[in-house]
Amino acid sequence: MKLNLSRLPTPLEKLYKCSEEHGIEILIKRDDMTELVSSGNKIRKLEYLLGEALHNHCDVVFTCGGIQSNHARATTHLAVKLGMKPVLFLREGGTDIFNGNLFLNSLLGADIIRVSEKEYSEIDKIFEEYKDLYEKKHHKVYVIPEGGSTSLGAMGYLDAVSEMLLQVDFNTIDGVYCAVGSGGTYAGLIAGLRYLGYRTPVFGINVTKRDTTFFVEKILSLIRGLVPYGIDVAVNKEEITILNDFSGPAYAVPSSEDIEMIRYLASTEGIILDPVYTAKAFRGMLSVAIKGQRVLFIHSGGMFGLFAQSDLFRG
Ligand SMILES: *Cc1c(COP(=O)(O)O)cnc(C)c1O
């Protein structure tokens, strides 16, 4: 049922200059290279989710997110490739520039429906309303929730852990770091590590204004939901570490430190971070990792979103 749409394995590299400057050995998993148009972390989830959509004979895919959602762009690209119609419900507010992910979504032919913040807070209702409309026209709709973060989607990051076993010995890693937006990536990473018997700590950098309890509960529930897929793994609350101090002014709004971080990593290592997720996560990692440690950063992509905020880098 899982589709093979990404270009795997993605490289796992060492950032030599940045490691030396910070006294931390920094490894980076290049999931910004999983594909081109559908690059980033979402494709790993979508290989499962769209596999289920095809299996269920769906011809329309719904998903939702912010105006510059990477998840919406990856879903759109893959749905088009697979012959399904993408319908996006994008939350208004924040920067609304016709570039980056929004431009690609339009180019790829997605139907874009803009919803207010209030409507978005009850997105399931909107999904139901529109699903009825499409079904009346004899379409079959597959609904993907925000970020593709269901238990089935999280399976993609259990597979990523298996993939990394051939690239790194997790027993030598002091911490795995990733951005947390909807929690599916974190859930898959920690479930995968524990399932394979590794005790490596996983640090999730919260890039939203949701609180720790929200993510701990969501991640635990995603992990419990893996049982039907043959993954019965015990992860307790205390193992889930969510760092809240790096979320910046608001979701999708970078701080001046984030902007500096993007400039820094681009100009020292040639690695492009994004202003919504990975800049915040990388900054969080550099702040909490202790000198002498060996850490693994999951680069979850997001480069197109940077183009929508390029004005912040002028001058
Ligand atoms: C969606 C996204 C994340 C967050 O992943 P979740 O599984 O939603 O927590 C991180 N980085 C990028 C670039 C993303 O697009």
Side-chain angles (χ1 to χ4, degrees), residues 40-42 45 70-71 73 146-147 149 179-186 207 215 274 277-278 300-303:
N41 59 341
K42 301 306 181 314
K45 306 177 186 185
N70 297 308
H71 165 67
R73 178 255 311 152
E146 189 179 75
S149 285
V180 172
S182 63
T185 302
Y186 186 102
V207 304
F215 281 117
D274 82 291
Y277 297 95
T278 51
S300 40
M303 194 205 275

Side-chain angles (χ1 to χ4, degrees), residues 215-236:
F215 281 117
V216 171
E217 294 304 323
K218 181 162 181 189
I219 289 162
L220 288 174
S221 138
L222 289 173
I223 295 171
R224 281 193 297 270
L226 294 170
V227 173
Y229 309 115
I231 307 295
D232 192 350
V233 61
V235 176
N236 50 44

Side-chain angles (χ1 to χ4, degrees), residues 180 186 190 201-205 216 237-243:
V180 172
Y186 186 102
I190 196 162
V202 184
F203 298 90
I205 294 87
V216 171
K237 256 196 171 96
E238 294 69 38
E239 286 179 84
I240 296 174
T241 309
I242 303 293
L243 306 175

Side-chain angles (χ1 to χ4, degrees), residues 176-212:
V176 174
Y177 290 80
C178 70
V180 172
S182 63
T185 302
Y186 186 102
L189 284 170
I190 196 162
L193 284 166
R194 298 301 176 266
Y195 185 72
L196 293 164
Y198 294 95
R199 308 307 305 165
T200 322
V202 184
F203 298 90
I205 294 87
N206 182 1
V207 304
T208 75
K209 295 298 170 190
R210 289 161 172 161
D211 62 14
T212 306

